[in-house]
PDB file of all heavy atoms in Angstrom:
ATOM      1  N   ARG G1256     134.543  30.088  50.582  1.00 97.00           N
ATOM      2  CA  ARG G1256     135.575  29.118  51.116  1.00 97.00           C
ATOM      3  C   ARG G1256     136.595  29.917  51.967  1.00 97.00           C
ATOM      4  O   ARG G1256     136.887  29.429  53.029  1.00 97.00           O
ATOM      5  CB  ARG G1256     136.262  28.346  50.013  1.00 97.00           C
ATOM      6  CG  ARG G1256     137.502  27.591  50.504  1.00 97.00           C
ATOM      7  CD  ARG G1256     137.907  26.576  49.409  1.00 97.00           C
ATOM      8  NE  ARG G1256     138.555  27.319  48.258  1.00 97.00           N
ATOM      9  CZ  ARG G1256     139.770  27.708  48.087  1.00 97.00           C
ATOM     10  NH1 ARG G1256     140.662  27.588  49.035  1.00 97.00           N
ATOM     11  NH2 ARG G1256     140.203  28.289  46.944  1.00 97.00           N
ATOM     12  N   TYR G1257     136.933  31.109  51.461  1.00 97.00           N
ATOM     13  CA  TYR G1257     137.906  31.868  52.233  1.00 97.00           C
ATOM     14  C   TYR G1257     137.319  32.293  53.521  1.00 97.00           C
ATOM     15  O   TYR G1257     138.110  32.374  54.575  1.00 97.00           O
ATOM     16  CB  TYR G1257     138.322  33.119  51.420  1.00 97.00           C
ATOM     17  CG  TYR G1257     139.244  32.829  50.189  1.00 97.00           C
ATOM     18  CD1 TYR G1257     139.373  33.698  49.141  1.00 97.00           C
ATOM     19  CD2 TYR G1257     139.892  31.633  50.084  1.00 97.00           C
ATOM     20  CE1 TYR G1257     140.226  33.361  48.093  1.00 97.00           C
ATOM     21  CE2 TYR G1257     140.698  31.340  49.058  1.00 97.00           C
ATOM     22  CZ  TYR G1257     140.917  32.254  48.022  1.00 97.00           C
ATOM     23  OH  TYR G1257     141.651  31.870  46.967  1.00 97.00           O
ATOM     24  N   GLN G1258     136.110  32.584  53.580  1.00 96.00           N
ATOM     25  CA  GLN G1258     135.472  32.986  54.828  1.00 96.00           C
ATOM     26  C   GLN G1258     135.219  31.853  55.801  1.00 96.00           C
ATOM     27  O   GLN G1258     135.501  31.924  56.985  1.00 96.00           O
ATOM     28  CB  GLN G1258     134.068  33.705  54.568  1.00 96.00           C
ATOM     29  CG  GLN G1258     134.239  35.145  54.034  1.00 96.00           C
ATOM     30  CD  GLN G1258     132.991  35.920  54.044  1.00 96.00           C
ATOM     31  OE1 GLN G1258     132.467  36.245  55.057  1.00 96.00           O
ATOM     32  NE2 GLN G1258     132.392  36.028  52.913  1.00 96.00           N
ATOM     33  N   THR G1259     134.749  30.740  55.319  1.00 97.00           N
ATOM     34  CA  THR G1259     134.388  29.587  56.129  1.00 97.00           C
ATOM     35  C   THR G1259     135.595  28.716  56.555  1.00 97.00           C
ATOM     36  O   THR G1259     135.800  28.480  57.740  1.00 97.00           O
ATOM     37  CB  THR G1259     133.278  28.770  55.593  1.00 97.00           C
ATOM     38  OG1 THR G1259     133.626  28.326  54.303  1.00 97.00           O
ATOM     39  CG2 THR G1259     131.875  29.531  55.560  1.00 97.00           C
ATOM     40  N   ALA G1260     136.293  28.374  55.582  1.00 96.00           N
ATOM     41  CA  ALA G1260     137.398  27.490  55.894  1.00 96.00           C
ATOM     42  C   ALA G1260     138.612  28.204  56.428  1.00 96.00           C
ATOM     43  O   ALA G1260     139.511  27.590  57.134  1.00 96.00           O
ATOM     44  CB  ALA G1260     137.833  26.659  54.663  1.00 96.00           C
ATOM     45  N   HIS G1261     138.872  29.388  56.001  1.00 96.00           N
ATOM     46  CA  HIS G1261     139.999  30.150  56.405  1.00 96.00           C
ATOM     47  C   HIS G1261     139.813  31.414  57.265  1.00 96.00           C
ATOM     48  O   HIS G1261     140.709  32.184  57.578  1.00 96.00           O
ATOM     49  CB  HIS G1261     140.829  30.512  55.144  1.00 96.00           C
ATOM     50  CG  HIS G1261     141.217  29.319  54.347  1.00 96.00           C
ATOM     51  ND1 HIS G1261     142.151  28.354  54.828  1.00 96.00           N
ATOM     52  CD2 HIS G1261     140.808  28.931  53.160  1.00 96.00           C
ATOM     53  CE1 HIS G1261     142.117  27.335  53.882  1.00 96.00           C
ATOM     54  NE2 HIS G1261     141.421  27.665  52.835  1.00 96.00           N
ATOM     55  N   GLU G1262     138.568  31.698  57.586  1.00 96.00           N
ATOM     56  CA  GLU G1262     138.135  32.731  58.503  1.00 96.00           C
ATOM     57  C   GLU G1262     138.678  34.063  57.989  1.00 96.00           C
ATOM     58  O   GLU G1262     138.970  34.931  58.900  1.00 96.00           O
ATOM     59  CB  GLU G1262     138.699  32.441  59.870  1.00 96.00           C
ATOM     60  CG  GLU G1262     137.915  31.230  60.471  1.00 96.00           C
ATOM     61  CD  GLU G1262     138.508  30.802  61.847  1.00 96.00           C
ATOM     62  OE1 GLU G1262     139.492  31.293  62.223  1.00 96.00           O
ATOM     63  OE2 GLU G1262     137.808  29.881  62.458  1.00 96.00           O
ATOM     64  N   LEU G1263     138.671  34.302  56.746  1.00 97.00           N
ATOM     65  CA  LEU G1263     139.024  35.637  56.259  1.00 97.00           C
ATOM     66  C   LEU G1263     137.787  36.553  56.396  1.00 97.00           C
ATOM     67  O   LEU G1263     136.707  36.100  56.494  1.00 97.00           O
ATOM     68  CB  LEU G1263     139.524  35.568  54.853  1.00 97.00           C
ATOM     69  CG  LEU G1263     140.801  34.904  54.548  1.00 97.00           C
ATOM     70  CD1 LEU G1263     141.129  35.108  53.063  1.00 97.00           C
ATOM     71  CD2 LEU G1263     141.993  35.315  55.417  1.00 97.00           C
ATOM     72  N   SER G1264     138.012  37.913  56.476  1.00 95.00           N
ATOM     73  CA  SER G1264     136.929  38.904  56.468  1.00 95.00           C
ATOM     74  C   SER G1264     136.211  38.866  55.187  1.00 95.00           C
ATOM     75  O   SER G1264     136.774  38.393  54.175  1.00 95.00           O
ATOM     76  CB  SER G1264     137.501  40.317  56.838  1.00 95.00           C
ATOM     77  OG  SER G1264     138.297  40.666  55.683  1.00 95.00           O
ATOM     78  N   ASP G1267     138.318  40.791  52.568  1.00 95.00           N
ATOM     79  CA  ASP G1267     139.457  40.100  52.053  1.00 95.00           C
ATOM     80  C   ASP G1267     139.055  39.027  51.164  1.00 95.00           C
ATOM     81  O   ASP G1267     139.607  38.822  50.155  1.00 95.00           O
ATOM     82  CB  ASP G1267     140.204  39.463  53.253  1.00 95.00           C
ATOM     83  CG  ASP G1267     141.199  40.492  53.948  1.00 95.00           C
ATOM     84  OD1 ASP G1267     141.377  41.596  53.478  1.00 95.00           O
ATOM     85  OD2 ASP G1267     141.750  40.069  55.082  1.00 95.00           O
ATOM     86  N   ALA G1268     138.076  38.239  51.501  1.00 96.00           N
ATOM     87  CA  ALA G1268     137.602  37.109  50.792  1.00 96.00           C
ATOM     88  C   ALA G1268     137.131  37.648  49.409  1.00 96.00           C
ATOM     89  O   ALA G1268     137.468  37.027  48.313  1.00 96.00           O
ATOM     90  CB  ALA G1268     136.434  36.400  51.437  1.00 96.00           C
ATOM     91  N   LEU G1271     140.104  38.815  47.328  1.00 96.00           N
ATOM     92  CA  LEU G1271     141.118  37.853  46.746  1.00 96.00           C
ATOM     93  C   LEU G1271     140.533  36.815  45.834  1.00 96.00           C
ATOM     94  O   LEU G1271     141.201  35.945  45.139  1.00 96.00           O
ATOM     95  CB  LEU G1271     141.624  37.051  48.034  1.00 96.00           C
ATOM     96  CG  LEU G1271     142.635  37.928  48.868  1.00 96.00           C
ATOM     97  CD1 LEU G1271     142.906  37.174  50.124  1.00 96.00           C
ATOM     98  CD2 LEU G1271     143.959  38.255  48.149  1.00 96.00           C
ATOM     99  N   PHE G1281     147.020  33.460  45.797  1.00 98.00           N
ATOM    100  CA  PHE G1281     146.875  33.463  47.165  1.00 98.00           C
ATOM    101  C   PHE G1281     146.694  32.005  47.792  1.00 98.00           C
ATOM    102  O   PHE G1281     147.189  31.728  48.834  1.00 98.00           O
ATOM    103  CB  PHE G1281     145.538  34.276  47.604  1.00 98.00           C
ATOM    104  CG  PHE G1281     145.096  34.044  48.979  1.00 98.00           C
ATOM    105  CD1 PHE G1281     145.775  34.695  49.966  1.00 98.00           C
ATOM    106  CD2 PHE G1281     143.972  33.258  49.292  1.00 98.00           C
ATOM    107  CE1 PHE G1281     145.405  34.537  51.312  1.00 98.00           C
ATOM    108  CE2 PHE G1281     143.603  33.041  50.545  1.00 98.00           C
ATOM    109  CZ  PHE G1281     144.288  33.719  51.631  1.00 98.00           C
ATOM    110  N   ASP G1282     145.972  31.085  47.049  1.00 97.00           N
ATOM    111  CA  ASP G1282     145.883  29.738  47.444  1.00 97.00           C
ATOM    112  C   ASP G1282     147.240  29.097  47.640  1.00 97.00           C
ATOM    113  O   ASP G1282     147.437  28.339  48.619  1.00 97.00           O
ATOM    114  CB  ASP G1282     145.080  28.930  46.361  1.00 97.00           C
ATOM    115  CG  ASP G1282     143.532  29.063  46.615  1.00 97.00           C
ATOM    116  OD1 ASP G1282     143.120  29.497  47.681  1.00 97.00           O
ATOM    117  OD2 ASP G1282     142.830  28.871  45.653  1.00 97.00           O
ATOM    118  N   VAL G1284     150.137  30.801  48.202  1.00 97.00           N
ATOM    119  CA  VAL G1284     150.789  31.358  49.429  1.00 97.00           C
ATOM    120  C   VAL G1284     150.252  30.683  50.693  1.00 97.00           C
ATOM    121  O   VAL G1284     151.006  30.270  51.621  1.00 97.00           O
ATOM    122  CB  VAL G1284     150.561  32.832  49.554  1.00 97.00           C
ATOM    123  CG1 VAL G1284     151.269  33.437  50.754  1.00 97.00           C
ATOM    124  CG2 VAL G1284     151.051  33.543  48.239  1.00 97.00           C
ATOM    125  N   LEU G1285     149.012  30.460  50.660  1.00 97.00           N
ATOM    126  CA  LEU G1285     148.299  29.744  51.809  1.00 97.00           C
ATOM    127  C   LEU G1285     148.897  28.319  51.949  1.00 97.00           C
ATOM    128  O   LEU G1285     149.223  28.021  53.181  1.00 97.00           O
ATOM    129  CB  LEU G1285     146.849  29.636  51.419  1.00 97.00           C
ATOM    130  CG  LEU G1285     145.809  29.209  52.479  1.00 97.00           C
ATOM    131  CD1 LEU G1285     146.072  30.085  53.725  1.00 97.00           C
ATOM    132  CD2 LEU G1285     144.482  29.310  51.978  1.00 97.00           C
ATOM    133  N   THR G1286     149.068  27.665  50.957  1.00 96.00           N
ATOM    134  CA  THR G1286     149.620  26.261  51.088  1.00 96.00           C
ATOM    135  C   THR G1286     151.038  26.277  51.788  1.00 96.00           C
ATOM    136  O   THR G1286     151.414  25.594  52.490  1.00 96.00           O
ATOM    137  CB  THR G1286     149.732  25.593  49.715  1.00 96.00           C
ATOM    138  OG1 THR G1286     148.487  25.625  49.049  1.00 96.00           O
ATOM    139  CG2 THR G1286     150.270  24.163  49.769  1.00 96.00           C
ATOM    140  N   PHE G1287     151.935  27.257  51.207  1.00 96.00           N
ATOM    141  CA  PHE G1287     153.233  27.293  51.673  1.00 96.00           C
ATOM    142  C   PHE G1287     153.434  27.963  53.028  1.00 96.00           C
ATOM    143  O   PHE G1287     154.376  27.686  53.856  1.00 96.00           O
ATOM    144  CB  PHE G1287     154.286  28.026  50.648  1.00 96.00           C
ATOM    145  CG  PHE G1287     154.471  27.120  49.406  1.00 96.00           C
ATOM    146  CD1 PHE G1287     153.844  27.332  48.275  1.00 96.00           C
ATOM    147  CD2 PHE G1287     155.374  26.065  49.587  1.00 96.00           C
ATOM    148  CE1 PHE G1287     154.077  26.508  47.189  1.00 96.00           C
ATOM    149  CE2 PHE G1287     155.608  25.215  48.441  1.00 96.00           C
ATOM    150  CZ  PHE G1287     154.914  25.437  47.300  1.00 96.00           C
ATOM    151  N   SER G1288     152.536  28.838  53.443  1.00 96.00           N
ATOM    152  CA  SER G1288     152.708  29.488  54.665  1.00 96.00           C
ATOM    153  C   SER G1288     151.883  28.784  55.810  1.00 96.00           C
ATOM    154  O   SER G1288     152.256  28.828  56.958  1.00 96.00           O
ATOM    155  CB  SER G1288     152.198  30.921  54.528  1.00 96.00           C
ATOM    156  OG  SER G1288     150.806  31.040  54.373  1.00 96.00           O
ATOM    157  N   GLY G1289     150.684  28.263  55.496  1.00 95.00           N
ATOM    158  CA  GLY G1289     149.835  27.729  56.475  1.00 95.00           C
ATOM    159  C   GLY G1289     149.136  28.747  57.366  1.00 95.00           C
ATOM    160  O   GLY G1289     148.608  28.415  58.367  1.00 95.00           O
ATOM    161  N   ASN G1290     149.173  29.973  56.847  1.00 96.00           N
ATOM    162  CA  ASN G1290     148.569  31.012  57.816  1.00 96.00           C
ATOM    163  C   ASN G1290     147.752  31.951  56.842  1.00 96.00           C
ATOM    164  O   ASN G1290     148.243  32.842  56.153  1.00 96.00           O
ATOM    165  CB  ASN G1290     149.625  31.859  58.429  1.00 96.00           C
ATOM    166  CG  ASN G1290     149.188  33.017  59.328  1.00 96.00           C
ATOM    167  OD1 ASN G1290     148.000  33.416  59.218  1.00 96.00           O
ATOM    168  ND2 ASN G1290     150.022  33.369  60.328  1.00 96.00           N
ATOM    169  N   ALA G1291     146.370  31.743  56.775  1.00 96.00           N
ATOM    170  CA  ALA G1291     145.577  32.490  55.844  1.00 96.00           C
ATOM    171  C   ALA G1291     145.513  33.908  56.144  1.00 96.00           C
ATOM    172  O   ALA G1291     145.579  34.747  55.262  1.00 96.00           O
ATOM    173  CB  ALA G1291     144.197  31.874  55.962  1.00 96.00           C
ATOM    174  N   LYS G1292     145.383  34.261  57.406  1.00 96.00           N
ATOM    175  CA  LYS G1292     145.138  35.669  57.791  1.00 96.00           C
ATOM    176  C   LYS G1292     146.483  36.515  57.293  1.00 96.00           C
ATOM    177  O   LYS G1292     146.248  37.579  56.657  1.00 96.00           O
ATOM    178  CB  LYS G1292     145.035  35.862  59.356  1.00 96.00           C
ATOM    179  CG  LYS G1292     144.645  37.079  59.775  1.00 96.00           C
ATOM    180  CD  LYS G1292     143.161  37.366  59.605  1.00 96.00           C
ATOM    181  CE  LYS G1292     142.915  38.910  59.418  1.00 96.00           C
ATOM    182  NZ  LYS G1292     142.156  39.291  58.323  1.00 96.00           N
ATOM    183  N   SER G1293     147.615  35.904  57.682  1.00 96.00           N
ATOM    184  CA  SER G1293     148.801  36.548  57.262  1.00 96.00           C
ATOM    185  C   SER G1293     149.040  36.633  55.761  1.00 96.00           C
ATOM    186  O   SER G1293     149.464  37.618  55.220  1.00 96.00           O
ATOM    187  CB  SER G1293     149.994  35.936  58.041  1.00 96.00           C
ATOM    188  OG  SER G1293     151.155  36.604  57.811  1.00 96.00           O
ATOM    189  N   ALA G1294     148.778  35.554  55.094  1.00 97.00           N
ATOM    190  CA  ALA G1294     148.826  35.476  53.697  1.00 97.00           C
ATOM    191  C   ALA G1294     147.974  36.530  53.052  1.00 97.00           C
ATOM    192  O   ALA G1294     148.349  37.252  52.088  1.00 97.00           O
ATOM    193  CB  ALA G1294     148.495  34.046  53.189  1.00 97.00           C
ATOM    194  N   ALA G1295     146.803  36.646  53.549  1.00 97.00           N
ATOM    195  CA  ALA G1295     145.826  37.672  52.974  1.00 97.00           C
ATOM    196  C   ALA G1295     146.359  39.045  53.189  1.00 97.00           C
ATOM    197  O   ALA G1295     146.326  39.897  52.329  1.00 97.00           O
ATOM    198  CB  ALA G1295     144.381  37.436  53.696  1.00 97.00           C
ATOM    199  N   ASN G1296     146.932  39.304  54.346  1.00 96.00           N
ATOM    200  CA  ASN G1296     147.423  40.600  54.617  1.00 96.00           C
ATOM    201  C   ASN G1296     148.614  41.008  53.631  1.00 96.00           C
ATOM    202  O   ASN G1296     148.730  42.098  53.182  1.00 96.00           O
ATOM    203  CB  ASN G1296     147.907  40.755  56.132  1.00 96.00           C
ATOM    204  CG  ASN G1296     146.764  40.894  56.981  1.00 96.00           C
ATOM    205  OD1 ASN G1296     145.620  41.305  56.661  1.00 96.00           O
ATOM    206  ND2 ASN G1296     146.992  40.519  58.348  1.00 96.00           N
ATOM    207  N   TRP G1297     149.472  40.079  53.537  1.00 97.00           N
ATOM    208  CA  TRP G1297     150.674  40.257  52.645  1.00 97.00           C
ATOM    209  C   TRP G1297     150.241  40.422  51.124  1.00 97.00           C
ATOM    210  O   TRP G1297     150.765  41.334  50.553  1.00 97.00           O
ATOM    211  CB  TRP G1297     151.794  39.201  52.827  1.00 97.00           C
ATOM    212  CG  TRP G1297     152.550  39.381  54.041  1.00 97.00           C
ATOM    213  CD1 TRP G1297     152.352  38.888  55.294  1.00 97.00           C
ATOM    214  CD2 TRP G1297     153.711  40.269  54.179  1.00 97.00           C
ATOM    215  NE1 TRP G1297     153.300  39.333  56.138  1.00 97.00           N
ATOM    216  CE2 TRP G1297     154.103  40.176  55.570  1.00 97.00           C
ATOM    217  CE3 TRP G1297     154.326  41.166  53.381  1.00 97.00           C
ATOM    218  CZ2 TRP G1297     155.266  40.857  56.038  1.00 97.00           C
ATOM    219  CZ3 TRP G1297     155.378  41.876  53.814  1.00 97.00           C
ATOM    220  CH2 TRP G1297     155.832  41.841  55.167  1.00 97.00           C
ATOM    221  N   VAL G1298     149.375  39.609  50.773  1.00 97.00           N
ATOM    222  CA  VAL G1298     148.977  39.604  49.313  1.00 97.00           C
ATOM    223  C   VAL G1298     148.136  40.883  49.120  1.00 97.00           C
ATOM    224  O   VAL G1298     148.449  41.656  48.231  1.00 97.00           O
ATOM    225  CB  VAL G1298     148.204  38.405  48.898  1.00 97.00           C
ATOM    226  CG1 VAL G1298     147.537  38.589  47.512  1.00 97.00           C
ATOM    227  CG2 VAL G1298     149.091  37.162  48.879  1.00 97.00           C
ATOM    228  N   ARG G1299     147.218  41.202  49.977  1.00 96.00           N
ATOM    229  CA  ARG G1299     146.298  42.271  49.791  1.00 96.00           C
ATOM    230  C   ARG G1299     147.035  43.641  49.991  1.00 96.00           C
ATOM    231  O   ARG G1299     146.872  44.564  49.360  1.00 96.00           O
ATOM    232  CB  ARG G1299     145.182  42.218  50.759  1.00 96.00           C
ATOM    233  CG  ARG G1299     144.215  43.271  50.530  1.00 96.00           C
ATOM    234  CD  ARG G1299     143.092  43.132  51.408  1.00 96.00           C
ATOM    235  NE  ARG G1299     142.190  44.299  51.030  1.00 96.00           N
ATOM    236  CZ  ARG G1299     140.885  44.376  51.342  1.00 96.00           C
ATOM    237  NH1 ARG G1299     140.251  43.496  52.042  1.00 96.00           N
ATOM    238  NH2 ARG G1299     140.202  45.387  50.882  1.00 96.00           N
ATOM    239  N   ILE G1327     156.448  34.102  55.182  1.00 96.00           N
ATOM    240  CA  ILE G1327     155.563  34.258  56.169  1.00 96.00           C
ATOM    241  C   ILE G1327     155.701  33.171  57.339  1.00 96.00           C
ATOM    242  O   ILE G1327     155.529  33.465  58.580  1.00 96.00           O
ATOM    243  CB  ILE G1327     153.987  34.079  55.638  1.00 96.00           C
ATOM    244  CG1 ILE G1327     153.716  35.274  54.729  1.00 96.00           C
ATOM    245  CG2 ILE G1327     152.896  33.831  56.704  1.00 96.00           C
ATOM    246  CD1 ILE G1327     152.473  35.208  53.901  1.00 96.00           C
ATOM    247  N   ASP G1331     156.178  33.450  61.449  1.00 92.00           N
ATOM    248  CA  ASP G1331     155.365  32.730  62.319  1.00 92.00           C
ATOM    249  C   ASP G1331     156.194  31.796  63.245  1.00 92.00           C
ATOM    250  O   ASP G1331     155.781  31.493  64.404  1.00 92.00           O
ATOM    251  CB  ASP G1331     154.353  31.763  61.630  1.00 92.00           C
ATOM    252  CG  ASP G1331     153.191  32.542  60.976  1.00 92.00           C
ATOM    253  OD1 ASP G1331     153.121  33.737  61.404  1.00 92.00           O
ATOM    254  OD2 ASP G1331     152.470  31.988  60.178  1.00 92.00           O
TER     255      ASP G1331
END
Side-chain angles (χ1 to χ4, degrees):
R1256 172 167 65 87
Y1257 289 160
Q1258 282 191 75
T1259 52
H1261 302 295
E1262 294 175 352
L1263 294 189
S1264 68
D1267 279 351
L1271 293 168
F1281 170 72
D1282 279 339
V1284 178
L1285 190 55
T1286 306
F1287 286 103
S1288 68
N1290 181 339
K1292 189 77 209 134
S1293 184
N1296 285 340
W1297 280 97
V1298 171
R1299 185 178 182 162
I1327 292 169
D1331 289 347

